[in-house]
Amino acid sequence: MSRTTGGADPRTPGPRSATTEQLATALAARTDAEIADLLAARPDLAAPPSLTAMAARAVSRPSVERALALLDATELAVAEAAVALAPVRRPTAAALTRATGLPAQAAHARLHDLALLVKDLPVAALAEALGPHPAGLGPALGELEALLGPAAAPTTRAALRTAMTGAPESAVRTLEAMTWGPPVGTAATLPEGAAWLVARGVLRALSPTQVVLPREVALAARGGLTHPVPPAAPDLGDARHVPPHVVAAEGARAAEEVVRLVVALLQAWQHSPATVLRAGGVGVREVRRTAASLQVGEGDVALLAELAGMAGLLTQDGDEQVAWAPARTTADFLEDTVTERWAALAAAWLGSARTPWLVGTRSEQGTLRTVLEPTLERGWAAGLRTRVLAALASLPVGTAPTAAEVRALLAWERPRATAPEPTVAAVLAEAERIGLTGAGALTPAGRALLDGAPADDVAAALADALPEAVGELLVQGDLTAVVPGRAVPELADLLGLCAAVESRGSALTVRFTAESLRHALDTGYGADELLAGLAAYSRTPLPQPLEYLVRDTARRHGQVRVGAAGAYLRVDDAGAVAGLLGDPALRGLRLRTIAPTVLVSPAHPGDVLDVLREAGLAPVLEGSDGAVVLDVGPGGTPGGAPRRGGRVGRGSRRTAGLPTYPGAAPTTYLRRASPTELGPVVARMRAGEEQARRDAARHAGDAPPATDPVHALAVLREAARAGTPVEMVVVGALGKPERRRVQPVSVDGGRVRATDLERDTELTVAVHRISAVAPAAR
């Protein structure tokens, strides 16, 4: 038996971790509401068939890793302390308070609520997830004794002081270096100080070149503390502060601008849709074209297009060449006010899994990521956006922290689920561009959106920050005009049609040019109508140069007309034209005359040829040079060109096989259901647990077999850890089940290594071949 100096026997500290059965019993004692809260907090537990199966899933390593991502710095420190103290003493709330230097009661209760602690004991996977040296502490004396044999060790502060009496300086420095971790030291030759500590039981020699500081000794050296300094929230008292009116004004300006640009992008892609690449995104050439049209950078186009996609304003359309174009919902969007449009865009951004900031970067395969491609979705993006805005909301109004300071807040809230600083900076930049923040601080409209306010309230919060709209226009003789403030929607729409913007800001400056006026005339305006519309907003009569420019541009407008036609018909006799136009058999060709002997049709030339022949005519096909084509290729077109629909374009859905975004086959993510929704799930689990108990009674008190895969793996891991036998049903290659009584050795990499106790052989079985596991009778 080993000896300890000044401490209890380290071999008998009690159980180090809670078992699945203990957790299942604890879960059965909870109320339905408490179980529903657990399922809501840990949605990865899904809907298991029973409480025992739920317990097995809760103690699995992946599930525990996800639960650790929910903990703040204080809760994580308490969890580390619980794992560190478990081999030494029971980690009660009081013991954890002393060990961490923190009021640990709330964190201790939270760990119990998340099923990471069961009656103060951590589940086994918690220790695995936190690593071999929790809080920088080495293995306990019991583990070292099983590995190296018994030895005396000073396990109290008084005993350690006695053991270190007369210690050389090198031994003191070695102990100080290893006290707070790492607890293992390696050297080519064991130093004199380390050898001195080994001789007195302070250190244990793992090999001739490696020593370790036992956990109990390290705790004694630390004065019983698991952490040198209790974790504390970052102090952002020196963060930049912006006056609230400046925050609101900057946010409103950005919000109004992003709505204007999204509308401009939709209009640009309405007239010239953006072709879809094979990967599903938009090519660099299309992005550059759109950036030039909107007079913004290519990065801005990426965010604007992604925003429109998030809000469902874009869809893929086309037969031969698929392209991004405005969806049907765009009409309703354009009928809303500016504030309502912004509220819809901001809400879509906050809840989206898209990551526009990745556009222009390369994937692990070296592929350039493009706008609107499907691979830009990340399940954590929406949660990160919410957390970033919540971090800003937790600060005093007007506080504008840097990306590093925001990341420090996020790291405090969830140390094991914190995005890199560049990602946090990208989210902050998007929030600023959209208008959720102004000058780096959260705006009132952004706060309303984060609080879950209705869309009307979010729009109203933005409306309060917008300056009063003006309906006045100052037209000058040099063909420029100034709107002294934010233009009313009607005036803004009119100027957007007939003028080119020269500058934006507190006032809007535009210039009238022949090209800008032609744009208004193309939409159906006449000269008199356009001049009357401008005069209605002008404080003074319109300058004569503007009237001359408008009327001169209108006089030359439309002198040359350009149209589209699928085919043309040239007829030698002008009298035959009337017969063709009046023939009922040709009505589907929608013929119309453009000259006395020339007709055009929107139909394909091959289709026109077939219809004319079916009507009893004898047409011939004419090539692009005007010559008659005698040798007609397949499909009835010159050169063998196929008919419409016979070829699939490069970007076609039939070629790419890609889902439409947003729309078909979206990526699904775990959703946090409410406890009310989980009520029926808890009821089914209770019923499953009762059925399991009845099965156990039929088995004369033996535990029923674990058939749920996660539960079966948990039973095998616990049996391997405790050294207890199990009965395992293995499905052979021919599908025949075989019962084996085994002693599990390890469960790793999808395989179970075990010793067959009846055949005295070792076997390795793939996990998917195990159909049931139950503890074996000894």
Side-chain angles (χ1 to χ4, degrees):
M1 181 178 293
S2 64
R3 292 185 300 106
T4 61
T5 53
D9 188 349
R11 300 173 306 164
T12 58
R16 297 183 54 193
S17 61
T19 65
T20 303
E21 292 181 1
Q22 290 173 322
L23 178 55
T25 302
L27 291 176
R30 294 191 182 191
T31 65
D32 288 358
E34 290 171 338
I35 296 176
D37 289 339
L38 175 58
L39 287 173
R42 296 176 63 175
D44 61 286
L45 298 182
S50 66
L51 293 177
T52 301
M54 177 183 177
R57 297 186 185 190
V59 300
S60 64
R61 173 74 177 272
S63 181
V64 169
E65 290 276 9
R66 294 188 184 97
L68 285 175
L70 305 174
L71 304 183
D72 62 24
T74 298
E75 293 165 346
L76 185 62
V78 173
E80 289 179 338
V83 171
L85 293 181
V88 180
R89 66 181 70 94
R90 196 171 190 87
T92 62
L96 293 173
T97 298
R98 291 191 297 270
T100 59
L102 295 164
Q105 290 80 3
H108 182 263
R110 166 84 165 150
L111 295 175
H112 274 88
D113 292 341
L114 291 175
L116 297 177
L117 295 183
V118 181
K119 294 184 177 180
D120 298 333
L121 292 179
V123 297
L126 183 59
E128 298 173 8
L130 293 177
H133 302 138
L137 292 166
L141 285 170
E143 297 177 55
L144 294 173
E145 180 180 301
L147 179 66
L148 305 174
T155 59
T156 65
R157 299 190 67 178
L160 184 60
R161 281 196 299 268
T162 301
M164 294 297 293
T165 301
E169 184 65 23
S170 59
V172 174
R173 289 198 302 269
T174 299
L175 179 60
E176 289 176 349
M178 298 180 70
T179 294
W180 293 103
V184 178
T186 304
T189 303
L190 204 62
E192 177 186 356
W196 189 93
L197 294 172
V198 170
R200 284 153 182 80
V202 178
L203 299 181
R204 294 297 304 270
L206 298 176
S207 70
T209 60
Q210 192 175 56
V211 294
V212 63
L213 179 64
R215 184 170 303 187
E216 291 85 344
V217 180
L219 288 171
R222 296 179 178 188
L225 297 176
T226 55
H227 295 77
V229 179
D235 183 11
L236 300 188
D238 296 333
R240 186 169 61 94
H241 187 81
V242 182
H245 70 276
V246 175
V247 174
E250 288 294 316
R253 180 196 58 78
E256 189 176 24
E257 179 69 3
V258 78
V259 170
R260 183 189 70 81
L261 290 174
V262 167
V263 171
L265 180 137
L266 293 173
Q267 293 172 342
W269 285 8
Q270 177 69 47
H271 297 293
S272 182
T275 304
V276 176
L277 301 175
R278 285 188 182 273
V282 177
V284 176
R285 182 179 301 177
E286 296 283 0
V287 171
R288 289 175 179 169
R289 173 180 65 82
T290 307
S293 173
L294 271 59
Q295 298 181 349
V296 296
E298 295 178 18
D300 292 324
V301 171
L303 176 58
L304 295 172
E306 288 287 341
L307 265 180
M310 294 171 189
L313 302 176
L314 292 176
T315 187
Q316 291 183 5
D317 195 12
D319 294 326
E320 293 190 1
Q321 194 170 42
V322 182
W324 287 103
R328 294 180 179 179
T329 55
T330 303
D332 296 333
F333 177 79
L334 295 178
E335 291 178 357
D336 293 336
T337 64
V338 171
T339 56
E340 290 171 338
R341 296 175 192 174
W342 180 84
L345 292 174
W349 176 84
L350 186 62
S352 174
R354 304 286 296 176
T355 53
W357 62 85
L358 293 181
V359 173
T361 63
R362 293 192 177 273
S363 65
E364 296 178 356
Q365 293 75 27
T367 305
L368 186 69
R369 297 186 176 98
T370 58
V371 180
L372 292 174
E373 71 171 42
T375 62
L376 290 182
E377 292 194 8
R378 300 292 185 274
W380 44 262
L384 177 61
R385 290 187 176 102
T386 301
R387 290 182 58 203
V388 168
L389 295 188
L392 296 177
S394 67
L395 301 173
V397 175
T399 304
T402 63
E405 291 170 332
V406 172
R407 188 185 183 280
L409 284 175
L410 299 180
W412 162 255
E413 293 172 354
R414 293 187 184 180
R416 292 174 70 93
T418 302
E421 185 177 330
T423 303
V424 175
V427 173
L428 287 171
E430 287 186 3
E432 185 80 12
R433 188 73 175 86
I434 294 170
L436 288 164
T437 61
L442 190 64
T443 64
R447 194 178 299 270
L449 179 66
L450 182 64
D451 292 341
D456 291 343
D457 293 347
V458 176
L462 175 62
D464 292 341
L466 288 173
E468 189 69 25
V470 298
E472 297 180 349
L473 184 64
L474 306 177
V475 186
Q476 305 178 71
D478 60 351
L479 298 179
T480 62
V482 177
V483 179
R486 184 172 70 92
V488 295
E490 297 79 9
L491 177 57
D493 292 341
L494 178 62
L495 294 178
L497 288 175
C498 66
V501 176
E502 288 199 336
S503 65
R504 295 182 183 274
S506 57
L508 173 67
T509 303
V510 298
R511 177 175 294 276
F512 298 100
T513 64
E515 182 179 357
S516 66
L517 292 172
R518 278 196 299 270
H519 181 224
L521 296 172
D522 287 340
T523 61
Y525 273 92
D528 293 336
E529 184 183 4
L530 185 58
L531 290 171
L534 293 173
Y537 295 103
S538 177
R539 288 184 177 179
T540 59
L542 295 180
Q544 198 172 50
L546 178 59
E547 291 191 15
Y548 285 164
L549 179 63
V550 172
R551 297 192 182 282
D552 184 60
T553 304
R555 183 175 59 255
R556 291 183 287 108
H557 183 264
Q559 291 181 351
V560 177
R561 297 190 178 188
V562 178
Y568 66 86
L569 291 79
R570 289 200 300 126
V571 186
D572 293 337
D573 183 7
V577 172
L580 293 175
L581 292 173
D583 192 338
L586 306 182
R587 190 170 300 167
L589 296 179
R590 290 179 288 171
L591 298 173
R592 65 183 179 90
T593 59
I594 59 173
T597 59
V598 180
L599 297 92
V600 294
S601 169
H604 194 270
D607 296 334
V608 173
L609 203 65
D610 292 342
V611 173
L612 291 176
R613 285 171 177 167
E614 290 174 1
L617 301 175
V620 294
L621 194 65
E622 190 173 271
S624 58
D625 57 354
V628 174
V629 178
L630 298 178
D631 184 16
V632 180
T637 55
R643 295 182 184 275
R644 180 174 300 181
R647 178 175 60 86
V648 178
R650 181 174 181 269
S652 172
R653 280 187 288 264
R654 286 172 282 177
T655 300
L658 294 172
T660 299
Y661 167 77
T667 304
T668 56
Y669 306 99
L670 287 175
R671 183 179 72 88
R672 293 187 182 275
S674 66
T676 303
E677 295 174 319
L678 292 169
V681 176
V682 177
R684 288 195 298 270
M685 290 165 52
R686 294 273 191 201
E689 194 69 14
E690 289 296 327
Q691 182 62 44
R693 291 178 183 175
R694 289 193 292 270
D695 292 342
R698 286 198 297 268
H699 285 81
D702 294 336
T707 56
D708 180 73
V710 179
H711 187 192
L713 284 177
V715 173
L716 289 169
R717 287 194 180 97
E718 290 182 0
R721 192 180 300 114
T724 56
V726 298
E727 287 190 359
M728 185 169 63
V729 179
V730 181
V731 179
L734 300 178
K736 183 179 180 181
E738 182 181 0
R739 185 177 294 272
R740 307 284 286 269
R741 188 172 186 272
V742 300
Q743 170 61 62
V745 177
S746 64
V747 182
D748 189 31
R751 295 184 177 274
V752 177
R753 190 164 65 90
T755 301
D756 191 314
L757 300 178
E758 296 176 349
R759 305 178 188 181
D760 198 20
T761 58
E762 187 173 287
L763 71 157
T764 302
V765 183
V767 170
H768 67 272
R769 291 178 55 197
I770 301 173
S771 63
V773 178
R778 292 184 177 273

